[in-house]
Amino acid sequence: MDYKDAKPHLVARLGLYCSFCERRVVTQLAVEHIQPKGLPIYSHLIGCWSNFLLACVNCNSTKKNRDVDPESVLLPDRDNTFSAFHYLPDGTIVPSGHAVSRGLQAIADKTLHLTGLDKTALNTPDENGRQVALDRMKQRMEAWLAAEEAKNELQRSPENGELQRYIVKLAVQTGFFSVWMTVFMDHSDMLSRFIRAFTGTWESGCFGVDGLAVSPAPNPDGLPGGGKI
């Protein structure tokens, strides 16, 4: 399959999100070759469905033609990457305690470095001196603040079904699934709602009906290197 033709099928399966940083990207979301098409050793994987993901311009341009061995990184189509990383209010992402306990810290670190998710925030003020969130780290911080505000609203009105639906809609529009899941960690009902609302997440089998992560990932398609966490 021509990778350009694969895009609508990937969006239908994964949603309009970067598979790595989880941002919602309405335009310029690229079909990403996990094992780069620019390296001759992977020329046989050009057009191979199992070698496709979706990526934003930042993750794609950072990853470039880096050699990727599925055994040595954590990939969102075959590992439970939510279980592998710990998201923090300041926008940083670090290997989770679960990943460390399974001896996967080095692989988790390598995964973050692959697409630059370990980069620090940029200092980008506008003409009035206000900070502008141009980088992914600050956008994660903004998503965290939006999720915290939504959680506080829900705590004031816990039985408000309309508010619950609005929060889920806001999360889907904002992206950063893992941030919303982390902030609402103590709200199992909301976790279940997020899992079902983000395209392809429930179908991945990486979460149970209680909203808790399933690890190792089921890897139902038997993709190479899958099921590490």
Side-chain angles (χ1 to χ4, degrees), residues 54-89:
L54 295 170
C56 69
V57 64
N58 301 84
C59 289
N60 205 14
S61 62
T62 303
K63 181 174 174 288
K64 293 182 178 177
N65 280 340
R66 294 190 189 189
D67 193 354
V68 175
D69 174 9
E71 296 283 356
S72 65
V73 295
L74 302 170
L75 294 168
D77 61 338
R78 58 199 78 189
D79 295 300
N80 191 333
T81 48
F82 174 75
S83 188
F85 300 115
H86 185 44
Y87 289 74
L88 298 170

Side-chain angles (χ1 to χ4, degrees), residues 81-149:
T81 48
F82 174 75
S83 188
F85 300 115
H86 185 44
Y87 289 74
L88 298 170
D90 64 0
T92 55
I93 309 173
V94 297
S96 68
H98 180 54
V100 174
S101 68
R102 291 181 61 86
L104 297 172
Q105 181 169 356
I107 289 180
D109 282 331
K110 184 176 180 180
T111 303
L112 294 174
H113 188 65
L114 178 68
T115 53
L117 291 176
D118 56 353
K119 289 181 179 177
T120 57
L122 300 173
N123 181 16
T124 311
D126 68 4
E127 61 185 3
N128 297 311
R130 294 174 300 191
Q131 293 297 311
V132 181
L134 293 180
D135 60 284
R136 292 166 293 175
M137 183 174 174
K138 284 190 175 175
Q139 290 177 20
R140 285 194 295 275
M141 292 170 65
E142 288 192 339
W144 186 285
L145 291 173
E148 282 277 12
E149 184 176 351

